[in-house]
Amino acid sequence: MSDEENGIEKLPGVGPATAEKLREAGYTTMMSIAVESPKNLADLCEIGEAVATKVIAAAKKAADIGGFETGDIVMERREKVGKLTTCSKALNSLMGGGFETQSITEMFGEFGSGKTQIAHQCAVSVQMKEKDGGLDGDVIIIDTENTFRPERIIQMADALDMDSKEVLSRIHVARAFNSHHQMLLAEKAKELAEEFKVRLLIVDSLTSHFRAEYVGRGTLADRQQKLNRHMHDLLRFGDLNNSVILVTNQVSAKPDAFFGDPTRPIGGHIVGHTATFRLYLRKSKGGKRIVRLIDSPNLPEAEAVITVDEKGIRD
Ligand code: ADP
Ligand code: MG
């Protein structure tokens, strides 16, 4: 247990039992409590709203809210932004050179549209030298659908004349069994990044557990709030480690209870607003895939055509 977790018990009005409830509900840090609303906290932890308000106020004082920084510091960090090759020139140029570090790139699309293939490809290419389009780093994969395949990595590494054994040894994979576990693994990733130079963090899929667990209209606010926190954790990881954050999101087959439109990615505005780059993938003829860039802060909306074959992702 971290010091921060221990601290929860010291909040006024929080005894061991409430602290346990907080942890079970996913509030493992001061920050997570500080940004919560009294009503949500009261409901989830079965405490009065007045107590919840006090707890939140105290957590705000204890949490490291972060501060303002001057433009030159922000610029210094921006100058370090790296671009990761996807092994497709067309996709790289769609992305202004490759997937950016310090940003979240979201890929959404139907089952089989190639999201996991691109993730595997990047897990290999990130290990290449910077002069070759890589970031010379390790990768963490949070696998929620049990679709990570080392055999596929070997194929892709061989195709790039890389030592596949070494490539596999720099991929750190964990399976997430539910959304709560997934969020804990994102926190654990920070520790791993102290030991290894992690330049890519993949969450494949970001939303499947959330979608399965939070069903029905009444659960939506809670789901969005958790997803929001998770996304911000990921973004922070990207900033701290100057790494690429790559997440996948499935298009709902059934209409979403909230958004209705079956072609909309789940997670709605929360995922959409936190992801810096959104890519919509769809299948085309002959193993081709069409990738459309949507909502980028500094790049035009456009499309690229890629292929998925034994070697991996190519033009
Ligand atoms: P999703 O978007 O659901 O994550 P995937 O990335 O898993 O989809 O894409 C699966 C598709 O990738 C398969 O249907 C197949 O077309 C292609 N694919 C997977 N492995 C290979 C391979 N070794 N050689 C060629 N194509 C492959
Ligand atoms: Mg997949």
Side-chain angles (χ1 to χ4, degrees):
M1 202 182 283
S2 74
D3 289 333
E4 214 179 355
E5 282 178 25
N6 282 331
I8 292 175
E9 256 108 353
K10 296 193 190 96
L11 289 169
V14 178
T18 309
E20 196 48 44
K21 268 186 201 155
L22 283 166
R23 274 188 209 107
E24 271 170 22
Y27 300 90
T28 52
T29 63
M30 286 294 178
M31 181 64 97
S32 62
I33 299 169
V35 299
E36 186 51 284
S37 76
K39 172 142 190 6
N40 275 351
L41 200 71
D43 287 352
L44 283 164
C45 302
E46 292 155 24
I47 53 178
E49 256 188 75
V51 177
T53 305
K54 267 189 207 149
V55 170
I56 289 165
K60 274 186 184 146
K61 275 193 196 139
D64 177 14
I65 300 284
F68 295 90
E69 49 189 5
T70 49
D72 50 327
I73 302 286
V74 178
M75 190 62 214
E76 215 172 88
R77 198 165 59 232
R78 286 293 306 164
E79 276 165 0
K80 287 196 198 128
V81 166
K83 309 252 174 154
L84 169 62
T85 183
T86 62
C87 295
S88 153
K89 287 195 188 97
L91 182 51
N92 287 350
S93 90
L94 182 74
M95 296 299 297
F99 290 160
E100 270 193 10
T101 63
Q102 300 177 30
S103 291
I104 298 179
T105 300
E106 176 203 353
M107 300 187 283
F108 70 98
E110 270 175 23
F111 173 78
S113 58
K115 304 179 293 293
T116 298
Q117 295 301 312
I118 295 178
H120 276 67
Q121 182 66 76
C122 289
V124 176
S125 64
V126 73
Q127 302 187 33
M128 303 193 314
K129 297 271 175 284
E130 293 191 16
K131 66 172 174 53
D132 299 319
L135 297 168
D136 195 12
D138 284 30
V139 47
I140 293 177
I141 301 180
I142 300 177
D143 180 12
T144 73
E145 297 180 320
N146 195 21
T147 53
F148 173 71
R149 292 291 176 275
E151 302 88 322
R152 191 70 180 112
I153 297 291
I154 293 171
Q155 277 183 340
M156 290 177 174
D158 286 348
L160 293 168
D161 283 326
M162 294 167 81
D163 177 348
S164 56
K165 237 183 160 167
E166 198 196 319
V167 168
L168 283 172
S169 75
R170 296 176 76 185
I171 302 178
H172 311 266
V173 193
R175 287 219 24 221
F177 298 105
N178 56 41
S179 65
H180 184 54
H181 188 208
Q182 180 179 332
M183 291 171 79
L184 289 177
L185 286 170
E187 281 182 30
K188 191 101 180 165
K190 289 182 212 151
E191 287 167 32
L192 210 58
E194 283 164 18
E195 198 178 334
F196 302 97
K197 191 174 123 194
V198 178
R199 303 302 305 279
L200 171 64
L201 174 62
I202 293 167
V203 186
D204 183 13
S205 137
L206 175 76
T207 46
S208 58
H209 283 317
F210 287 93
R211 174 153 83 165
E213 291 162 27
Y214 295 86
V215 281
R217 195 171 276 273
T219 61
L220 259 165
D222 192 22
R223 177 180 94 182
Q224 298 304 79
Q225 190 261 330
K226 291 252 163 62
L227 256 174
N228 186 30
R229 190 190 323 149
H230 187 38
M231 293 286 285
H232 281 97
D233 271 353
L234 296 175
L235 202 50
R236 185 148 173 77
F237 183 98
D239 276 351
L240 285 175
N241 300 294
N242 192 18
S243 58
V244 173
I245 310 292
L246 195 55
V247 304
T248 69
N249 192 356
Q250 68 221 103
V251 177
S252 359
K254 278 186 279 173
D256 186 281
F258 195 63
F259 295 102
D261 182 350
T263 64
R264 291 282 294 269
I266 87 142
H269 62 282
I270 294 292
V271 175
H273 287 174
T274 315
T276 320
F277 301 99
R278 314 194 84 188
L279 294 171
Y280 176 53
L281 275 71
R282 60 188 200 276
K283 280 191 201 172
S284 177
K285 284 174 228 135
K288 289 196 168 61
R289 303 289 192 280
I290 298 164
V291 186
R292 180 166 193 87
L293 176 66
I294 297 168
D295 292 345
S296 152
N298 58 334
L299 295 169
E301 190 162 320
E303 289 186 344
V305 180
I306 60 168
T307 60
V308 183
D309 65 17
E310 196 188 303
K311 293 196 202 91
I313 305 300
R314 295 293 187 273
D315 281 311

